[in-house]
Amino acid sequence: MRNLYFYAVFLLFLVLTSTVTWADSSGKITGKTESLSDGADIYKHICQSCHMSYGKGAEGAGARFPALAKNPKLQSGEYVASVVLNGMGTMPWFAVTLNDQQVANVVNYIRTHFDNHYTNAIKPDTVMMMRPHLTEEYE
Amino acid sequence: MPKPHHSLPFTRRQLLTRIGALAGSVALYQAMTSMGHASGTDFTRPPSLHGAKKGTKILVLGAGLAGMLSAYELRKAGYDVQILEFQNRSGGRNISLRAGDTVTELGGATQKVLFAQGNYFNPGPWRIPYHHQGLLYYCRQFGIELEPFIEVNHNAWLHSSNTFGGKSVRYREFSADFYGFTAELLAKSINQHKLDDIVSEDENHYLIEAMKSWGALTPDLSYTKGNISSWRRGFERPQGGGLEGAPVPSDVLSRKDIMKSGLWDWMAFNQRIDMQTTLFQPVGGMDQIGKGFARQVKDLITLNCKVTAISQNEQGVTVTYNDMAHGGAVRQMQADYCVCTIPLSILSQLDVQVEDAMKAAILAVPYASSVKIGLEFKRRFWEEDEQIYGGISFTDQPISQISYPSHGYFRKGPAVLLGGYLFGTPAYDYVGMPPQERLERALEQGSVIHLQYQKEFSNGVSFAWSRTPWVMGCCSMWTEEARRTHYKTLCSIDKRIVLAGEHASYVGCWQEGAILSALDAITRLHKRIVGAA
Ligand SMILES: Cc1cc2nc3c(=O)[nH]c(=O)nc-3n(C[C@H](O)[C@H](O)[C@H](O)COP(=O)(O)OP(=O)(O)OC[C@H]3O[C@@H](n4cnc5c(N)ncnc54)[C@H](O)[C@@H]3O)c2cc1C
């Protein structure tokens, strides 16, 4: 069952990345990126693009990428994991691109770096339980 | 199978939309490929709006194509129109870079564009399909000159790191061999009665003939080295004149490698209606469109106004903004109605007084990330050494493609090409790098395809859309589920406010989307106003 689940996620990834509706994009995601495992790597190669190095955040034209540094919202690991899985406003969802371990690693990383000191780590199992539900087709 | 468990911070409704976002895409794919997009866009003629009550004031937010076109048509209809724009330029995502321009990203990284005079780079929009009739109509109307944009070039390269020994193959060779081998398999299967269950006898005959013709097969239905295949894929030694003019056929690639390479995806990409011949580009850079639009409405635009809040009541709309030309002084402007074309990536964080359902819609659309890299080389080695005139080479490296200029052929001197166009995970990765590192990577990866890269490189610039202060992303990323739940609301008129822009269209991430959305929004707004008058 579990394998099937992952296979489904993988399929979905292909379909999703190849067809999300913005049109000028290439037909599929090409180019490999470093296979990311530890939290620092995931942060650097994905999250840093918006939240900036050291989680500084940034201010645009009346909107911002919130700072993750010294951010009291990070107190709840589940909150952070939920944002990463589902996205939030402009921030895309990462439920499809990151597995449970990767989500847990990046969540735990930002909660213990950038002047955050929340040491109660979230576990991959907890992330798994929070995963958005895929339709029957894929189960 | 774990039971799904939904948790904070989302309401169930929001969560369902996002989840559906993951699931709905298969259907979306089918819908997109079989209809909608497939028939082009629905522009027929410009709106003809009559009977505006004189003195009715409409404030347009954002001077991209959607904003400027809204203002143009509304003024023509008799409204009193003004545009507020955050940047010190108009055009929005319609932008080109030239010598002397400066690109400053969120986070402060600054690049100076060092191209030779006359060269340009389109970091955003760069091609226009022939069926984007709305945009093309206004280009013609406003005297914006267009020229062909080359999408497919059979002499460009396809590159896959772990097939064909990592060597690039010509698009022409690959496509001939891919079609040839596929046709051979089908034709032989039919001939050997392997498809008798599904193909009737009289159809067999036509199918075999079709495969022979389509795939360049020999009379015995083989795709193999010889003159027939070489007329498609090119000869080892091309035809010449005189004594030694006879051509020498070329070897075909390995069928297994072709199927394994995944490179057929790029051919499928080029077959989409959006990429079909004829495509256009404005002569002199994509920003000629923005400039052409601006000529029509220049007197209506106030630059350097950062809108922070939009409120409304029975009497009208009040927009609050920072006047960036005067130290960010807080100012307000009143109007009867408002057409807001600010991208949702920004609008979702502004203080906007609309119904809850509209607020939810504004929050429901994440923005994709993208990076484009422009490289200037001292000479057109792709033309001079490799006979590549325009078009695109594709690779499975992060840069994903190299696109050669569709203009200025045969010129001597430096020229600019698109040295990388990144999406998805690679885009996040490259957005997060210092600009210098992006260039280095693009050079390294491009060198795999063109040995001349290191020697001929002159300078370059990268554009990271997520770090662009006024859009903080590339384009809206709608999914079928989010459309179902939020799209109609997003496009509805919320008392005195209507949204327009690429995000309020089914032609997402195309300028045509901005045009069609604007025309639809102002037409409905006008009807509402006239009806209410
Ligand atoms: C990488 C890339 C490639 C693309 N390729 C193509 C292509 O090949 N062909 C094609 O047709 N289209 C392409 N597009 C899509 C096209 O660029 C857009 O669809 C179109 O330009 C959007 O126009 P718009 O008016 O909706 O938005 P915009 O042009 O973004 O206009 C919105 C305006 O609002 C302003 N603004 C933002 N915040 C505020 C604020 N707080 N106060 C006041 N003003 C504000 C912005 O500065 C901007 O001027 C591409 C886009 C990208 C990013």
Side-chain angles (χ1 to χ4, degrees), chain B residues 400-429:
Chain B
S400 113
Q401 44 195 295
I402 296 175
S403 175
Y404 315 93
S406 290
H407 54 278
Y409 302 124
F410 303 107
R411 273 192 204 148
K412 293 178 179 158
V416 176
L417 55 64
L418 173 68
Y421 190 4
L422 295 86
F423 304 97
T425 312
Y428 295 131
D429 193 9

Side-chain angles (χ1 to χ4, degrees), chain B residues 356-421:
Chain B
D356 286 348
M358 177 65 97
K359 275 191 189 149
I362 292 171
L363 270 165
V365 189
Y367 270 56
S369 196
S370 174
V371 177
K372 270 175 122 178
I373 301 170
L375 303 175
E376 185 172 75
F377 291 93
K378 292 174 208 147
R379 66 183 184 97
R380 293 174 180 250
F381 58 81
W382 52 94
E383 296 184 4
E384 294 168 8
D385 306 351
E386 302 174 39
Q387 295 84 54
I388 296 173
Y389 305 96
I392 304 174
S393 290
F394 295 99
T395 169
D396 62 353
Q397 302 175 96
I399 55 168
S400 113
Q401 44 195 295
I402 296 175
S403 175
Y404 315 93
S406 290
H407 54 278
Y409 302 124
F410 303 107
R411 273 192 204 148
K412 293 178 179 158
V416 176
L417 55 64
L418 173 68
Y421 190 4

Side-chain angles (χ1 to χ4, degrees), chain A residues 22 24 61-62, chain B residues 61-67 84-87 89-94 123-129 132 135 286 305-308 341-343 346 350 370 372 421 465 469-471 473-475 500-503 507-514:
Chain A
W22 57 299
D24 187 66
Chain B
L61 307 181
L65 298 189
L84 298 182
E85 164 59 47
F86 166 72
Q87 295 179 70
R89 59 173 278 277
S90 53
R93 273 168 276 183
N94 174 288
W126 55 317
R127 53 190 164 196
I128 304 169
H132 284 183
L135 180 63
M286 188 52 83
C305 299
K306 181 170 82 179
V307 172
T308 57
T341 73
I342 296 173
I346 306 281
L350 304 188
S370 174
K372 270 175 122 178
Y421 190 4
W465 281 93
W470 42 271
V471 51
C474 171
C475 292
E502 165 268 322
H503 47 274
V507 202
C509 215
W510 288 102
Q511 295 168 108
E512 181 76 351

